[in-house]
Amino acid sequence: MFILKRLLHALLVLLGVSVVVFALIHLVPGDPVRLALGTRFDQASYDALRRASGLDQPLLQQYFSYIGKAATGNLGVSFRSGQPVTVLLLGRLGATASLAITAIIIALLIAFPLGTLAALHRGKPIDMISRFFSQVGVSVPDFWLGILLILVFSSTLGWFSSSGYVPITQDPVAWARSVLLPAITVGTGSGAILTRYVRSSVLETLGADHVRTARSEGLRERTVLFGHILRNALVPVITVGGTQLATLLGGVVVVEVVFAWPGLGRLVYDSVAARDYPVIQGAVLLIATLFLVISFLVDVLYWRVDRRIAL
């Protein structure tokens, strides 16, 4: 019943997203067919491409035609490249997933130790360092940090690549050199946000009755920390972490442009500039689907962490 309700909810959300995106992109000024043809423009080619893409039909008919095809997995053909949108999106998803997963791992490696130590030593130097890092990490723009990392670790030291992407299956070492700088750029901001939530959640759990009971029973501090404090502090952190991961999977446009990263964010950026309607619609639907999947997994994780929470 839980899964059925979530599937119905997901379908309604995707339908709503498709309506909003379809309406918005048709309000944006500019002729996508004229832009797609460029210097190859002539009236016969223009009319043929409009008919082939269905743009000569009424808007309502265009929408229902798109939804019918999308339900079968056909998201249309790109005006700009002539490739199927599904092929374009799947081709970029690997690079985006690689960056997102690496960045969220970096964020967690920063947030959990720093946030936990800050909560356990409230008001002490480590707590002040944690709060300072959180403030700076949230405030520093991604593009500025990315350019700084490129100048230091790529241009000056030559340790990492400043642009491009190499799949991990092709060359793990080259993959690491290409992914680390953009992942650190993105992961630092996410880590700063998560550090705040970890600190706050651990502080709240420290004063709970079950923690005082565990300590009064003579349990070791490590057992209390990992078995009672961190486990119960995970629930709010999972929410924020899941949202951060879903956001990263949707593409980080600024970082992908700075590092010439061939991900979903860069694809959407280029498609908006070219008024490539099918790619924009397909990308937004894919990103919405990723958010829904992550949301479902977060709910399941709640239940795994704390069985008192009912699905």
Side-chain angles (χ1 to χ4, degrees):
M1 183 59 73
F2 169 72
I3 295 176
L4 187 62
K5 285 182 179 179
R6 292 306 297 265
L7 282 174
L8 181 60
H9 174 261
L11 289 174
L12 291 174
V13 169
L14 290 176
L15 186 63
V17 168
S18 68
V19 171
V20 172
V21 174
F22 183 86
L24 288 177
I25 62 175
H26 281 83
L27 290 174
V28 176
D31 189 338
V33 177
R34 181 68 180 83
L35 288 171
L37 289 173
T39 57
R40 299 175 289 117
F41 175 80
D42 62 77
Q43 193 61 43
S45 300
Y46 178 82
D47 293 338
L49 186 53
R50 277 186 65 85
R51 282 194 302 272
S53 58
L55 291 177
D56 60 331
Q57 301 172 355
L59 283 180
L60 199 59
Q61 188 176 340
Q62 288 183 44
Y63 173 73
F64 284 115
S65 175
Y66 176 76
I67 287 297
K69 292 177 180 177
T72 64
N74 180 6
L75 296 175
V77 177
S78 168
F79 293 155
R80 203 166 42 135
S81 66
Q83 291 182 280
V85 173
T86 306
V87 173
L88 286 174
L89 294 176
L90 293 179
R92 299 296 186 101
L93 190 57
T96 294
S98 183
L99 173 59
I101 293 171
T102 307
I104 205 68
I105 289 172
I106 291 171
L108 292 173
L109 290 175
I110 293 171
F112 268 99
L114 192 56
T116 303
L117 287 172
L120 294 175
H121 304 281
R122 185 179 184 181
K124 295 184 179 178
I126 186 64
D127 186 23
M128 296 178 184
I129 291 171
S130 168
R131 285 186 286 176
F132 177 76
F133 165 75
S134 296
Q135 190 62 43
V136 171
V138 171
S139 304
V140 171
D142 286 346
F143 72 89
W144 184 86
L145 180 58
I147 292 171
L148 180 64
L149 291 176
I150 289 173
L151 288 174
V152 175
F153 295 102
S154 181
S155 300
T156 304
L157 299 176
W159 292 354
F160 303 106
S161 301
S162 61
S163 62
Y165 166 68
V166 179
I168 191 171
T169 53
Q170 182 178 321
D171 186 341
V173 175
W175 169 82
R177 294 185 74 243
S178 68
V179 79
L180 276 176
L181 288 187
I184 290 170
T185 302
V186 178
T188 300
S190 296
I193 294 170
L194 284 172
T195 298
R196 291 180 172 183
Y197 282 91
V198 172
R199 178 183 179 274
S200 176
S201 188
V202 171
L203 275 175
E204 184 179 346
T205 309
L206 279 171
D209 292 338
H210 67 274
V211 174
R212 287 194 293 268
T213 302
R215 283 175 171 160
S216 67
E217 290 175 351
L219 295 178
R220 291 187 304 172
E221 192 61 29
R222 179 179 296 181
T223 304
V224 174
L225 176 62
F226 289 99
H228 297 272
I229 296 175
L230 288 182
R231 184 179 180 87
N232 288 277
L234 274 177
V235 172
V237 177
I238 287 173
T239 305
V240 182
T243 304
Q244 291 289 313
L245 178 58
T247 303
L248 297 180
L249 284 172
V252 189
V253 177
V254 174
V255 173
E256 290 187 4
V257 171
V258 168
F259 288 93
W261 193 261
L264 284 175
R266 180 64 183 269
L267 178 63
V268 173
Y269 175 82
D270 293 338
S271 299
V272 169
R275 306 294 190 274
D276 199 344
Y277 292 171
V279 176
I280 297 170
Q281 290 177 125
V284 173
L285 283 178
L286 175 60
I287 292 167
T289 302
L290 291 173
F291 263 90
L292 291 169
V293 170
I294 296 295
S295 175
F296 172 78
L297 293 176
V298 164
D299 285 347
V300 174
L301 277 175
Y302 285 163
W303 179 67
R304 293 293 299 174
V305 170
D306 190 345
R307 293 301 181 92
R308 293 172 299 175
I309 298 175
L311 288 176

